[in-house]
Amino acid sequence: MALTTWEELEQTCLNCQKCALADTRTNVVFGVGPRDAEVMCIGEGPGENEDKQGEPFVGRSGQLLDKMLEYAGLSRKKNIYIANMVKCRPPQNRDPAPDEIAACMGWLRNQTAILRPAIIVCIGRIAAVSLIQKDFKVTKQHGQFIEKNGTLMTGTFHPAALLRNPVNKPAAMEDLLGVAKKAQELGLPL
Ligand code: URA
């Protein structure tokens, strides 16, 4: 059954043993940001730094993401909530396995049920194929908005991919500016 308060949800999630990632994690990375944000960003899963600090996107790719969000007027301190598909670090930073994503999905669903964001931004392929469309192609469909159950969903490049391949940075920046513009069109308080 879904939990109805952030405090209860976080406390329960921090004790999660639903998959084998629990055995190797240092910290559960629950999520960060205002708990009434209208925009929610969803990444893939914690890396080494996130596992150590218990906060999403705090390593190199997180710094790039923060910089780009900031340019679009978005920030975890002010107006966006950030979480991941899986709350515990997959060893060696491998992709989370489908069974790990499935085991963790209830936490994410519960987070979105409490937050009720107007816009969800999938950061990278793993989140986009899990949440938007199973054959989502980031290179082709990034920045497009699709409505699902009253929530606007969009996907963009993962900052780790942008660090490897900076040629897509301007397109990713356009995507985030598009999110801010959409929020403005909808009259959302940012
Ligand atoms: N990559 C992600 O997808 N999420 C994080 O929290 C860190 C890196």
Side-chain angles (χ1 to χ4, degrees):
M1 218 189 50
L3 301 170
T4 54
T5 69
W6 278 112
E7 292 69 28
E8 201 183 2
L9 180 61
E10 182 168 19
Q11 275 319 307
T12 317
C13 182
L14 294 183
N15 292 311
C16 182
Q17 298 287 337
K18 286 181 197 279
C19 83
L21 296 182
D23 302 341
T24 49
R25 74 180 177 225
T26 309
N27 284 296
V28 172
V29 179
F30 179 69
V32 70
R35 292 178 163 188
D36 60 354
E38 296 285 359
V39 179
M40 183 178 195
C41 290
I42 303 176
E44 184 178 313
E48 188 181 4
N49 294 294
E50 291 77 17
D51 175 63
K52 279 196 185 126
Q53 296 182 42
E55 181 170 332
F57 285 106
V58 290
R60 259 186 90 217
S61 63
Q63 284 164 20
L64 174 59
L65 181 66
D66 275 347
K67 214 163 81 177
M68 295 177 71
L69 287 168
E70 194 75 48
Y71 187 78
L74 304 167
S75 116
R76 65 179 79 195
K77 293 210 168 68
K78 211 170 67 187
N79 52 17
I80 56 162
Y81 190 84
I82 307 182
N84 280 309
M85 293 303 303
V86 297
K87 309 293 190 236
C88 299
R89 182 192 182 198
Q92 277 85 48
N93 296 345
R94 62 163 170 76
D95 286 353
D99 64 316
E100 292 160 353
I101 293 176
C104 212
M105 190 64 95
W107 300 122
L108 185 63
R109 288 208 188 291
N110 208 149
Q111 285 175 305
T112 52
I114 299 178
L115 188 62
R116 297 180 17 88
I119 302 175
I120 289 181
V121 185
C122 295
I123 307 290
R125 186 187 63 85
I126 298 272
V129 299
S130 305
L131 301 176
I132 302 178
Q133 186 188 312
K134 67 177 185 309
D135 58 352
F136 191 93
K137 294 275 177 295
V138 176
T139 47
K140 289 209 180 94
Q141 292 169 273
H142 68 92
Q144 295 175 9
F145 287 91
I146 296 165
E147 196 188 322
K148 271 197 160 184
N149 307 320
T151 306
L152 281 176
M153 314 274 306
T154 189
T156 190
F157 299 88
H158 194 286
L162 297 176
L163 288 171
R164 285 193 302 271
N165 193 10
V167 72
N168 289 318
K169 271 192 196 175
M173 196 59 247
E174 281 304 314
D175 295 343
L176 297 179
L177 289 167
V179 170
K181 185 162 169 253
K182 184 65 81 179
Q184 203 171 29
E185 280 168 19
L186 296 173
L188 302 176
L190 282 189

